[in-house]
């Protein structure tokens, strides 16, 4: 296998891991003001993902670094064209991190409600914008012959891309509700389960609509079409498991739907990495946007040495904090 193709696959894996892990962080963050009826319940919700969220973001940092080193032309065009959207995601992530750190500094209800709202917004906006961004990669954006983005921020907004954003948002909300059901007990667990089923229905509806609108894009891409159909099957299985009170299976199947949706995106793109809406011949591909073979060889060696260490460390973290969070775990 050519190294540029290998790194395209590795970047797809990194984004799939990011969306799976950070997806439930985002989902819980948006749901905190709705699931948590008391301050104690909201504190429990924050503790469900508190030990993991910053480690989960390492996947995004790694994906961005891999994109920069392996496909510098893709990185340059993507970050220049999607600059405002990516800037808004960055601001939202900063707001989210500040909310998690500042919330406990004052016990007044108004202070905590403000930061709960900031956490909700800081989780909602990236969930929506990541879907919009990836939908634009499939739809195509104005790129000229010099591999430069020549559009504006508003060129990225269309009914199709907004449907993609809502599809990913509701996937994350379902994922977050099921994560809470696995990590809590009592009334909070029961409430999360009640939210999970309708959120699964909404996720199926928006994802189904997005895939229907994407049929033109996946025409002639049998692997992408098969992956997208698998996503719908997994969502159906997650909904059925949720209704049967099998939260573990529902979470696993819902998480896999996020993973295979990401793989479907990249499969539909390949061998392109960014599609030019002005002229298909001006699209960026894994061949004309990649680094030199020597750079890719060095990156491959480094990845083989360091990625297993990161995986072991993150796996250890999840094992240590695997138990359900209860009121006894809160420190007053």
């Amino acid at each position: 296998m050519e190294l540029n193709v290998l790194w395209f696959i590795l970047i797809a894996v990194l984004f799939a891991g990011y969306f799976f892990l950070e997806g439930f962080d985002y989902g819980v963050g948006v749901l905190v003001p709705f699931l948590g009826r008391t301050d104690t319940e909201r504190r429990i919700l924050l503790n469900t993902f508190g030990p993991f969220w910053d480690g989960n973001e390492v996947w995004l940092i790694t994906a961005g670094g891999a994109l920069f080193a392996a496909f510098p032309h893709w990185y340059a065009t993507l970050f220049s064209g999607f600059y405002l959207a990516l800037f808004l995601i960055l601001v939202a992530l900063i707001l989210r991190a500040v909310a998690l750190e500042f919330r406990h500094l004052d016990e007044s209800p108004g202070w905590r409600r403000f930061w709960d709202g900031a956490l909700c917004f800081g989780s909602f906006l990236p969930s929506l914008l990541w879907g919009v961004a990836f939908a634009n990669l499939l739809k195509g954006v104005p790129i000229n012959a010099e591999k430069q983005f020549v559009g504006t921020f508003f060129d990225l907004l269309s009914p199709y891309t907004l449907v993609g954003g809502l599809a990913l948002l509701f996937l994350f909300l379902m994922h977050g509700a099921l994560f809470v059901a696995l990590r809590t007990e009592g009334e909070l667990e029961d409430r999360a389960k009640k939210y999970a089923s309708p959120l699964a229905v909404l996720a199926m509806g928006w994802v189904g609509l997005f895939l229907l609108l994407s049929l033109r894009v996946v025409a002639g891409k049998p692997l992408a079409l098969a992956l997208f159909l698998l996503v719908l099957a997994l969502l159906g299985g997650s909904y059925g498991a949720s209704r049967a009170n099998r939260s573990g299976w529902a979470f696993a199947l819902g998480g896999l739907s996020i993973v295979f949706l990401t793989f479907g995106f990249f499969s539909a793109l390949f061998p392109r990495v960014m599609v030019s809406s002005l002229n298909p011949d001006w699209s960026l591909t894994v061949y004309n946007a990649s680094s030199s073979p020597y750079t890719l060889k060095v990156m491959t060696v480094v990845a083989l040495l360091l990625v297993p260490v990161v995986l072991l460390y993150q796996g250890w973290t999840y094992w240590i904090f695997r138990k359900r969070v209860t009121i006894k775990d809160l420190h007053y």
Side-chain angles (χ1 to χ4, degrees):
M1 179 184 296
E2 297 175 325
L3 287 179
N4 47 4
V5 176
L6 174 63
W7 274 98
F8 178 83
I9 295 171
L10 290 177
I11 289 171
V13 170
L14 289 170
F15 272 106
Y18 172 68
F19 288 147
F20 177 88
L21 295 172
E22 196 74 344
F24 61 72
D25 288 357
Y26 289 148
V28 179
V30 175
L31 292 172
V32 162
F34 306 98
L35 283 178
R37 295 180 179 175
T38 66
D39 183 66
T40 299
E41 287 185 343
R42 288 190 285 273
R43 289 180 65 194
I44 291 174
L45 288 169
L46 296 179
N47 276 266
T48 60
F49 67 90
F52 313 123
W53 70 271
D54 47 355
N56 292 342
E57 288 187 352
V58 170
W59 288 75
L60 176 60
I61 296 169
T62 306
L67 196 66
F68 171 76
F71 299 99
H73 296 296
W74 182 9
Y75 180 92
T77 305
L78 178 67
F79 276 71
S80 61
F82 291 28
Y83 180 82
L84 182 56
L86 294 173
F87 176 77
L88 290 173
I89 290 175
L90 179 60
V91 170
L93 292 179
I94 293 172
L95 182 64
R96 181 167 166 262
V98 172
L100 289 168
E101 296 295 334
F102 277 32
R103 186 187 188 276
H104 72 282
L105 297 182
D106 194 310
E107 295 183 2
S108 64
W111 174 270
R112 294 193 169 184
R113 279 197 301 271
F114 172 81
W115 289 115
D116 287 342
L119 173 66
C120 179
F121 178 76
S123 301
F124 164 83
L125 192 61
S127 303
L128 181 71
L129 290 181
W130 278 122
V132 170
F134 271 80
N136 270 289
L137 291 180
L138 288 184
K139 172 177 173 285
V141 292
I143 299 173
N144 64 17
E146 286 73 41
K147 303 185 179 69
Q148 295 176 345
F149 180 87
V150 292
T152 67
F153 172 75
F154 295 101
D155 290 322
L156 305 179
L157 301 178
S158 68
Y160 173 74
T161 58
L162 290 174
V163 168
L166 289 169
L168 197 62
L169 170 65
F170 280 101
L171 274 175
F172 287 171
L173 290 175
M174 175 199 71
H175 200 40
L178 291 168
F179 182 74
V180 171
L182 288 176
R183 295 278 291 156
T184 59
E185 58 184 30
E187 291 185 8
L188 202 51
E189 178 188 2
D190 294 338
R191 202 175 303 138
K193 289 178 179 179
K194 289 179 181 178
Y195 271 66
S197 294
L199 285 172
V201 173
L202 289 169
M204 280 191 288
W206 284 109
V207 171
L209 176 59
F210 177 72
L211 299 185
L212 182 64
L213 296 175
S214 301
L215 287 178
R216 176 186 60 83
V217 178
V218 299
K221 301 274 187 177
L223 178 58
L225 181 59
L227 289 170
F228 286 155
L229 292 176
L230 178 59
V231 168
L232 291 177
L234 289 168
L235 283 174
S238 179
Y239 171 75
S242 179
R243 296 284 295 175
N245 204 29
R246 303 292 296 274
S247 298
W249 278 103
F251 177 77
L253 293 172
L256 285 174
S257 71
I258 295 173
V259 170
F260 285 110
L261 181 63
T262 309
F263 289 158
F265 272 122
F266 280 88
S267 178
L269 271 177
F270 185 82
R272 304 162 301 175
V273 293
M274 289 190 75
V275 178
S276 173
S277 60
L278 303 179
N279 187 333
D281 294 334
W282 296 344
S283 298
L284 277 70
T285 70
V286 295
Y287 304 106
N288 65 18
S290 68
S291 293
S292 66
Y294 178 76
T295 300
L296 295 177
K297 287 179 182 178
V298 173
M299 289 177 58
T300 303
V301 173
V302 173
L304 289 173
L305 292 174
L306 296 182
V307 170
V309 177
V310 175
L311 293 176
L312 286 172
Y313 170 78
Q314 197 157 30
W316 176 80
T317 304
Y318 276 93
W319 175 257
I320 293 296
F321 294 100
R322 67 189 181 279
K323 295 182 180 179
R324 292 177 183 265
V325 180
T326 68
I327 192 172
K328 297 178 182 178
D329 299 304
L330 302 181
H331 299 289
Y332 292 91

